[in-house]
Structures are given as structure tokens and as C-alpha cells.
Amino acid sequence: MAMTADTLGNWYANWSWLHADWTRLPHPVGMLPITLFGLFVLVSALPPARALTTPRPVPVG
């Protein structure tokens, strides 16, 4: 949750800067690493979240 808020906050704060010149996006220091890391955290958090929220079958017998 915190990484999502951080990534969205960075995009919000830098939107006018990126909107003026979108070619700054792929620079090695800037929004690209933050965005890629945010996506990595989100994608890697989905399997554990799914495993923790899926109910376990009740053993019979």
C-alpha cells in the first residue's frame, strides 16, 4: 500500500514536468525506475495476498 501511494504521489507531483516533455520519462534517474519498482512490488504482492485470502478446505472425517 505504501509503495502504491509513493508511486502515485510521485506521478502527481511530476505530472506537469512530464506533460511538458514526456521524453524525460525513460531517463535512468526519474519516474521510470520508480514506476517499474512500484509495478514489481504490486505484481509480487498478488500471490501472497491471494494465498492469505483464499479459504482453506475443511477436512472431512
Side-chain angles (χ1 to χ4, degrees):
M1 180 70 172
M3 188 62 206
T4 303
D6 181 54
T7 303
L8 291 175
N10 278 302
W11 270 96
Y12 180 77
N14 292 308
W15 180 250
S16 61
W17 177 71
L18 288 169
H19 190 64
D21 184 12
W22 65 270
T23 59
R24 295 178 182 174
L25 179 64
H27 288 195
V29 177
M31 293 304 297
L32 184 63
I34 293 169
T35 303
L36 291 177
F37 184 67
L39 288 173
F40 168 75
V41 169
L42 180 67
V43 169
S44 64
L46 291 176
R50 191 176 304 130
L52 291 172
T53 58
T54 304
R56 294 183 180 162
V58 177
V60 177

